[in-house]
Amino acid sequence: MPKSKFVKESLTIMTEMVMPNDTNTLGNLMGGNLMRMMDVAGAIAAQKHSNRIVVTASVDNVSFVNAIPLGNVVTLEAKVTRAFNTSIEVIVNVFSENIPAGLKDNTNQAFLTFVAVDQSGRPIEIAEAIPETDLEQELFEGALRRRQLRLVLAGRMKPNEATELKAIFDL
Amino acid sequence: MPKSKFVKESLTIMTEMVMPNDTNTLGNLMGGNLMRMMDVAGAIAAQKHSNRIVVTASVDNVSFVNAIPLGNVVTLEAKVTRAFNTSIEVIVNVFSENIPAGLKDNTNQAFLTFVAVDQSGRPIEIAEAIPETDLEQELFEGALRRRQLRLVLAGRMKPNEATELKAIFDL
Amino acid sequence: MPKSKFVKESLTIMTEMVMPNDTNTLGNLMGGNLMRMMDVAGAIAAQKHSNRIVVTASVDNVSFVNAIPLGNVVTLEAKVTRAFNTSIEVIVNVFSENIPAGLKDNTNQAFLTFVAVDQSGRPIEIAEAIPETDLEQELFEGALRRRQLRLVLAGRMKPNEATELKAIFDL
Amino acid sequence: MPKSKFVKESLTIMTEMVMPNDTNTLGNLMGGNLMRMMDVAGAIAAQKHSNRIVVTASVDNVSFVNAIPLGNVVTLEAKVTRAFNTSIEVIVNVFSENIPAGLKDNTNQAFLTFVAVDQSGRPIEIAEAIPETDLEQELFEGALRRRQLRLVLAGRMKPNEATELKAIFDL
Amino acid sequence: MPKSKFVKESLTIMTEMVMPNDTNTLGNLMGGNLMRMMDVAGAIAAQKHSNRIVVTASVDNVSFVNAIPLGNVVTLEAKVTRAFNTSIEVIVNVFSENIPAGLKDNTNQAFLTFVAVDQSGRPIEIAEAIPETDLEQELFEGALRRRQLRLVLAGRMKPNEATELKAIFDL
Amino acid sequence: MPKSKFVKESLTIMTEMVMPNDTNTLGNLMGGNLMRMMDVAGAIAAQKHSNRIVVTASVDNVSFVNAIPLGNVVTLEAKVTRAFNTSIEVIVNVFSENIPAGLKDNTNQAFLTFVAVDQSGRPIEIAEAIPETDLEQELFEGALRRRQLRLVLAGRMKPNEATELKAIFDL
């Protein structure tokens, strides 16, 4: 069993400029291109925690509230929230900045899970991720509920067994 | 109010070959690249229904179960499930095919929502989407539950008001 | 000798949105980018017929009549017309759609030929392609004339031996 | 009427290295990517002759005989052969070179036609192209036959009116 | 005159994964692709300092000592060193990491200069950059020498007037 | 020791059209993209001289004086200036042309060095490069000074040992 790590050790910061080919007819970043960036940032954070090749296992519900126009700078901050047996949950926060105008928004937040694998693609056991700050602790605890929601949505857990999930739905 | 349409009128089929730059270290399609393809296919289906420019509003939980290797043919089938006031839910089914080996899998399924907008990006009222087959009818009805789940997850609806959602969790 | 197939089994539909980087100075899809899309769509149709890796052998004369502007949806429909010993002729029809404006044109049509090969690139014998509809029958018969024209243009057949070709030139 | 130019003034040399994403499953340059390069090289040659924006009007039959592997250097030489009223025929010769192995082949040859247009896309009258060498003279004369073949294939000229074309078919 | 800023306020971290199309025949990141990444990272740092659109004015001598293989994670850290009248010098440090192998190198370092411009591309006066740490102070002072070297190499300053430059050459 | 070659044998001409995705917010070619093109052109010239795989060793100071707008044609002319033991210096001249406007500028000039390597990446001895014209002779001689400047800047030569370099600084 590999040695546990602090979640902060996985912090990955990715900065991108929105290029013409990333945009839709209105000149804003296409949702699918932002998801591609989230996937790369999240995978690097999961690699840093596990020191393994990782593959994407799932992406939780992502909302797109603010448009991100051509020329804006997009910053993605990815950090592991919790490690399970062979899978790793990562939170990715997206910031959009129009630097000449001095505007910066936290436009999106997403949770992705990755599985650590060996060279032939077989899952491998990974180290624990230790939260330190209050926010990290809160994300660590919420990871259990989000995991149950994923299993229920994928039809791999019965809703009435999802005891932790009830906390989300206040039941 | 625009004239209603049958959901089948929005069917969009997109076929792509997995190219070297789409792959990860193991030689398989990266999750983020598949999400970009889903977004484009879904947006075209939503355009076909609304005859409007559309922007991505959300992507529901997506699972990546089967690896899709370099050289495989990826087919995405996108179809509107239901139209709300200004938003449109689309289902995207992904098939991966190794043609020389004669193997074809339904690797992923995702629900995306789009908002129809005018040239200045303001939401516009859209036509109803009429289901015909049993499967279309089932997807039409489920759209209400999935919408409540999105609103609860985004903190815009209280869980105890999500009456339809209870059907998912069998409460 | 592999088992024959119906030509309709090779039908491949590819949908693309015209992105900024695909366009020329006038904001329209560049001819060369459309040819790249035709090549991918045609290759997948030829793969579906032969269940083999295929390589492009030739592209017949292609005309570009209508400009396809940025943001339009391009649909390519590729279908095998006839299989020869180791080569396969495919027809690709291109449709351009400005969905918000409700305009759709059949902008281009092209015939491409592919050769089925094994892993070391050597040509392999392929199954017959059986036409069913009147249009498929007509394309099947025309394939012989188009093949003679290719051989004459490549200097590999003497014009006076191209007996079928005379039908085109009404001689 | 703009002033005539020598055909050699349009000579355009384009050199590209075959990158991973340009290749097919066998590791060779995909036909469609080579056609995209031909289109760019040809368009620049046509621009040089006409000093105008140009759009692709047609590509004549192209054969792909030799595979061009990853890492090879591709050189395209494009030169105007003849200018008609508003259209320009360009010949593009493609050379593939494995420099470490000391191998160089003339892998493809293609004729493309371009139309010179103004900013709103309307065709514009262009200068004559004056051939000087024997080869340029031969290409200049052949342009008439190739043009008739294009018109016949596009259904815009009756075969029995294509007097020049008869020279090709030796009738 | 805009208000001065601390150099640390411009810190920009960019993380990229080496993709197949970024590599050369040996499977390592091509020098030119790394320079493109440096340019984007540096431009964002210069934007953060000036709150303006910036254009690249020069890149100083860059050495490529260590190969960066496919799949490695490249981290670029860019920070302003000194602002002159309308130009900004930025240092970019490049780290290459093979995470599964636990290897991380500082592979390259480069100095780039950017000019802050208005919407019509005219240079604009910019704020001072205030160094705080010893390293920042040292980079701030060295900026003068590097600037003289650029001017001498561009033929815009006579070597014997480059008083600061003599410190480099120990004269 | 391989047989010497004339420098003119390495001449490599690369022509590119500035595409939307190559441009910055002002619609001009980004510096980093031009550097990527310079690297590819230079590497091909160094390959032609050495008949070997080459890797980029360094890029000298590059200035960006003239903006190169979208749609312009960029021509890069690369030629070896001198070969040392295992490294090759190449000069790359960049021309930018607005063909419809009849404008052509020599916008940039850069010196890059490459190392010839075998399949496992080990440096290999290379042939001499023989200058013929006066300009080639001048570039051949200057290569020694530029090499010393690189070594001094990289901290691998003491400034007072850089005897040739003094010629640049007129000391």
Side-chain angles (χ1 to χ4, degrees):
Chain A
M1 175 85 182
K3 205 178 135 289
S4 64
K5 283 190 181 174
F6 293 113
V7 301
K8 73 176 170 212
E9 297 179 61
S10 66
L11 178 65
T12 300
I13 298 173
M14 180 183 282
T15 309
E16 301 275 343
M17 212 180 279
V18 180
M19 299 287 180
N21 222 43
D22 301 329
T23 62
N24 60 19
T25 319
L26 299 170
N28 297 323
L29 180 60
M30 292 187 69
N33 287 320
L34 182 55
M35 286 189 285
R36 186 182 49 70
M37 294 177 193
M38 285 174 169
D39 183 47
V40 175
I44 295 173
Q47 270 200 19
K48 285 187 183 173
H49 177 72
S50 63
N51 283 105
R52 292 288 181 184
I53 295 171
V54 301
V55 298
T56 314
S58 72
V59 181
D60 285 5
N61 194 297
V62 184
S63 291
F64 301 88
V65 179
N66 299 104
I68 303 181
L70 177 64
N72 262 33
V73 170
V74 177
T75 307
L76 298 102
E77 293 185 9
K79 197 161 65 169
V80 166
T81 58
R82 186 167 187 159
F84 294 96
N85 197 27
T86 61
S87 77
I88 305 163
E89 192 195 64
V90 176
I91 184 171
V92 181
N93 270 290
V94 180
F95 301 88
S96 164
E97 204 171 353
N98 179 334
I99 296 178
L103 298 172
K104 184 169 185 171
D105 296 305
N106 184 174
T107 53
N108 305 73
Q109 191 182 68
F111 292 95
L112 295 89
T113 55
F114 296 89
V115 174
V117 295
D118 63 17
Q119 276 294 344
S120 42
R122 270 186 304 257
I124 283 186
E125 198 183 356
I126 48 181
E128 273 186 279
I130 312 293
E132 291 174 296
T133 69
D134 285 359
L135 179 56
E136 287 171 0
Q137 185 64 39
E138 193 187 306
L139 288 166
F140 181 87
E141 283 163 18
L144 218 54
R145 288 194 296 279
R146 290 185 295 271
R147 187 165 189 246
Q148 290 191 348
L149 181 56
R150 268 167 232 134
L151 291 169
V152 168
L153 291 174
R156 288 159 55 201
M157 178 182 267
K158 289 185 187 150
N160 56 12
E161 293 170 359
T163 52
E164 286 292 324
L165 189 55
K166 291 177 180 168
I168 294 180
F169 292 100
D170 199 22
L171 304 168
Chain B
M1 174 85 180
K3 205 176 136 290
S4 63
K5 284 189 182 176
F6 293 113
V7 301
K8 74 178 169 210
E9 297 179 63
S10 66
L11 178 65
T12 300
I13 298 172
M14 180 182 282
T15 309
E16 302 275 341
M17 213 180 278
V18 180
M19 299 288 179
N21 223 42
D22 302 329
T23 62
N24 60 20
T25 319
L26 298 170
N28 297 323
L29 180 60
M30 291 186 70
N33 288 320
L34 182 55
M35 286 190 285
R36 185 181 51 70
M37 293 177 193
M38 285 174 169
D39 183 48
V40 175
I44 295 174
Q47 270 199 19
K48 284 187 184 173
H49 177 72
S50 64
N51 284 105
R52 293 287 180 182
I53 295 170
V54 301
V55 297
T56 315
S58 72
V59 181
D60 285 6
N61 193 297
V62 184
S63 292
F64 300 89
V65 180
N66 298 103
I68 304 181
L70 177 65
N72 262 32
V73 170
V74 177
T75 307
L76 299 101
E77 293 185 8
K79 197 162 64 169
V80 166
T81 60
R82 185 165 188 162
F84 294 96
N85 198 26
T86 60
S87 76
I88 306 162
E89 192 194 64
V90 176
I91 185 171
V92 182
N93 269 290
V94 180
F95 302 88
S96 163
E97 205 169 354
N98 179 334
I99 296 177
L103 299 172
K104 184 169 185 171
D105 297 303
N106 184 174
T107 54
N108 306 72
Q109 191 184 69
F111 292 94
L112 295 90
T113 56
F114 296 89
V115 174
V117 296
D118 63 17
Q119 275 294 345
S120 41
R122 269 186 304 259
I124 283 186
E125 199 182 358
I126 47 182
E128 273 186 280
I130 312 294
E132 291 174 298
T133 68
D134 284 357
L135 177 56
E136 288 172 0
Q137 184 64 38
E138 192 187 307
L139 288 166
F140 180 87
E141 283 163 19
L144 217 53
R145 289 194 296 278
R146 289 185 296 271
R147 189 168 188 241
Q148 290 191 347
L149 181 56
R150 268 168 231 134
L151 291 170
V152 168
L153 291 174
R156 287 161 56 200
M157 178 182 269
K158 291 186 186 144
N160 56 12
E161 292 170 359
T163 51
E164 286 293 324
L165 188 55
K166 292 177 179 166
I168 294 179
F169 291 98
D170 200 20
L171 303 167
Chain C
M1 177 82 183
K3 204 178 135 290
S4 64
K5 283 190 181 175
F6 293 112
V7 301
K8 73 177 170 210
E9 297 178 62
S10 66
L11 178 66
T12 300
I13 298 173
M14 180 182 282
T15 310
E16 302 274 343
M17 212 180 280
V18 180
M19 300 288 180
N21 223 43
D22 302 329
T23 62
N24 60 19
T25 319
L26 298 170
N28 297 322
L29 180 61
M30 290 186 69
N33 288 320
L34 182 55
M35 286 190 285
R36 186 182 48 73
M37 295 177 192
M38 286 174 169
D39 182 48
V40 175
I44 295 174
Q47 270 200 18
K48 285 188 184 173
H49 176 71
S50 63
N51 283 105
R52 292 288 181 183
I53 295 170
V54 300
V55 298
T56 315
S58 72
V59 181
D60 284 7
N61 193 299
V62 184
S63 291
F64 301 89
V65 180
N66 298 103
I68 304 181
L70 177 64
N72 263 32
V73 170
V74 177
T75 307
L76 298 101
E77 293 185 10
K79 199 162 62 169
V80 166
T81 59
R82 185 167 188 161
F84 294 96
N85 198 26
T86 61
S87 76
I88 306 161
E89 190 193 66
V90 176
I91 184 171
V92 182
N93 270 291
V94 180
F95 302 88
S96 163
E97 204 169 353
N98 179 334
I99 296 177
L103 299 172
K104 184 169 185 173
D105 296 303
N106 184 172
T107 53
N108 305 74
Q109 191 183 69
F111 293 94
L112 294 89
T113 55
F114 296 89
V115 174
V117 295
D118 63 18
Q119 276 294 343
S120 42
R122 269 185 305 258
I124 284 186
E125 197 181 0
I126 48 182
E128 273 186 280
I130 313 293
E132 292 174 297
T133 69
D134 284 358
L135 178 56
E136 287 172 359
Q137 185 63 41
E138 193 186 308
L139 288 166
F140 180 88
E141 282 163 19
L144 218 53
R145 289 195 296 277
R146 289 184 296 272
R147 188 167 188 243
Q148 291 191 346
L149 181 56
R150 270 168 229 134
L151 292 169
V152 168
L153 291 174
R156 288 159 57 200
M157 179 182 266
K158 289 186 189 149
N160 58 10
E161 293 169 358
T163 51
E164 287 294 323
L165 189 54
K166 292 179 179 163
I168 294 179
F169 292 99
D170 199 23
L171 304 167
Chain D
M1 176 82 181
K3 205 177 136 289
S4 64
K5 285 188 181 175
F6 292 113
V7 302
K8 73 177 170 211
E9 298 179 62
S10 67
L11 178 66
T12 299
I13 298 173
M14 180 182 282
T15 309
E16 302 274 343
M17 212 180 279
V18 180
M19 300 288 180
N21 223 43
D22 302 330
T23 61
N24 61 19
T25 319
L26 297 170
N28 297 322
L29 180 61
M30 290 187 70
N33 288 319
L34 182 55
M35 286 190 284
R36 186 182 50 70
M37 294 177 193
M38 285 173 168
D39 183 46
V40 175
I44 295 173
Q47 270 200 18
K48 285 187 184 173
H49 176 72
S50 63
N51 284 106
R52 293 289 180 180
I53 295 170
V54 301
V55 297
T56 315
S58 72
V59 181
D60 284 7
N61 194 299
V62 184
S63 290
F64 301 88
V65 180
N66 298 103
I68 304 181
L70 177 65
N72 262 33
V73 170
V74 177
T75 307
L76 298 102
E77 293 185 9
K79 197 161 66 168
V80 166
T81 58
R82 185 166 187 160
F84 293 96
N85 198 26
T86 60
S87 76
I88 306 162
E89 191 194 63
V90 176
I91 184 172
V92 181
N93 269 290
V94 180
F95 301 89
S96 163
E97 205 170 353
N98 179 335
I99 297 177
L103 299 171
K104 185 168 184 173
D105 296 305
N106 184 173
T107 53
N108 305 74
Q109 190 183 72
F111 293 95
L112 295 90
T113 56
F114 296 89
V115 175
V117 296
D118 63 17
Q119 275 294 345
S120 41
R122 269 186 304 257
I124 283 186
E125 198 182 359
I126 48 182
E128 273 185 280
I130 313 294
E132 292 174 296
T133 68
D134 284 359
L135 178 56
E136 287 171 0
Q137 184 65 39
E138 193 188 306
L139 288 166
F140 180 87
E141 283 163 19
L144 217 55
R145 289 195 296 279
R146 290 184 295 271
R147 186 166 189 245
Q148 290 191 347
L149 181 56
R150 269 167 232 134
L151 291 169
V152 168
L153 290 174
R156 287 159 55 200
M157 179 182 267
K158 290 185 187 147
N160 56 12
E161 293 169 0
T163 51
E164 287 293 324
L165 188 55
K166 292 178 178 164
I168 294 180
F169 292 98
D170 200 21
L171 303 167
Chain E
M1 176 87 182
K3 203 177 137 291
S4 65
K5 284 188 182 176
F6 293 112
V7 300
K8 73 176 171 212
E9 297 179 63
S10 66
L11 178 65
T12 300
I13 298 173
M14 180 183 282
T15 310
E16 302 274 342
M17 212 180 278
V18 180
M19 299 288 180
N21 222 43
D22 302 329
T23 61
N24 60 20
T25 319
L26 298 170
N28 297 322
L29 180 61
M30 291 187 69
N33 287 320
L34 183 55
M35 287 190 285
R36 186 182 49 71
M37 294 178 193
M38 285 173 169
D39 184 46
V40 176
I44 295 173
Q47 270 199 19
K48 284 188 184 173
H49 177 71
S50 63
N51 284 106
R52 294 287 180 183
I53 295 170
V54 301
V55 297
T56 315
S58 72
V59 181
D60 285 6
N61 194 299
V62 184
S63 291
F64 301 89
V65 179
N66 298 105
I68 303 181
L70 178 64
N72 263 32
V73 170
V74 177
T75 307
L76 299 102
E77 293 184 10
K79 198 161 64 169
V80 167
T81 59
R82 186 166 187 160
F84 294 95
N85 198 26
T86 60
S87 77
I88 305 162
E89 191 194 63
V90 176
I91 185 171
V92 182
N93 269 291
V94 180
F95 302 88
S96 163
E97 204 169 353
N98 180 335
I99 296 178
L103 299 172
K104 185 169 184 173
D105 297 304
N106 184 173
T107 53
N108 305 73
Q109 192 183 69
F111 293 95
L112 294 90
T113 55
F114 296 89
V115 174
V117 296
D118 63 18
Q119 275 294 346
S120 41
R122 272 185 302 258
I124 283 185
E125 197 183 358
I126 48 182
E128 272 185 278
I130 313 293
E132 292 175 296
T133 68
D134 284 358
L135 177 57
E136 287 172 0
Q137 185 63 39
E138 192 187 305
L139 288 166
F140 180 88
E141 282 162 20
L144 218 53
R145 289 195 294 280
R146 289 185 295 271
R147 188 167 189 243
Q148 289 191 347
L149 181 56
R150 268 167 232 134
L151 291 169
V152 168
L153 290 174
R156 288 160 54 201
M157 179 182 266
K158 288 185 189 149
N160 56 12
E161 293 169 358
T163 51
E164 287 291 324
L165 189 54
K166 291 178 179 167
I168 294 180
F169 292 99
D170 201 19
L171 305 169
Chain F
M1 176 84 182
K3 204 178 135 292
S4 64
K5 284 189 182 174
F6 293 112
V7 301
K8 75 176 171 213
E9 296 179 64
S10 66
L11 178 66
T12 300
I13 297 172
M14 181 183 281
T15 309
E16 302 275 343
M17 212 180 278
V18 180
M19 299 288 180
N21 222 42
D22 301 330
T23 62
N24 59 20
T25 319
L26 298 170
N28 297 323
L29 180 60
M30 291 186 70
N33 288 321
L34 182 55
M35 286 190 285
R36 186 182 50 72
M37 294 177 193
M38 285 173 168
D39 183 47
V40 175
I44 296 173
Q47 271 200 19
K48 285 187 183 172
H49 177 72
S50 63
N51 283 107
R52 292 288 180 182
I53 295 171
V54 300
V55 297
T56 315
S58 72
V59 181
D60 285 6
N61 195 298
V62 184
S63 290
F64 300 89
V65 179
N66 298 105
I68 304 181
L70 177 66
N72 263 34
V73 170
V74 177
T75 308
L76 298 102
E77 293 185 11
K79 197 162 64 169
V80 166
T81 58
R82 185 167 187 161
F84 294 96
N85 198 25
T86 60
S87 77
I88 306 161
E89 192 194 65
V90 175
I91 184 170
V92 181
N93 270 290
V94 180
F95 302 88
S96 163
E97 203 169 353
N98 179 335
I99 296 177
L103 298 172
K104 185 169 185 173
D105 297 303
N106 184 173
T107 53
N108 305 74
Q109 191 183 69
F111 292 95
L112 295 90
T113 56
F114 296 89
V115 175
V117 295
D118 64 17
Q119 275 294 344
S120 41
R122 271 186 302 258
I124 284 186
E125 198 183 359
I126 48 182
E128 273 186 280
I130 313 293
E132 292 174 297
T133 68
D134 285 357
L135 178 57
E136 288 172 359
Q137 185 64 39
E138 192 187 308
L139 288 166
F140 180 87
E141 283 163 18
L144 217 53
R145 290 195 295 278
R146 289 184 295 272
R147 188 166 188 246
Q148 290 191 346
L149 181 57
R150 267 167 233 135
L151 291 169
V152 168
L153 291 174
R156 288 160 56 200
M157 178 181 268
K158 290 188 188 146
N160 56 11
E161 292 169 359
T163 51
E164 286 292 325
L165 188 55
K166 293 179 179 164
I168 294 180
F169 292 100
D170 201 19
L171 303 169

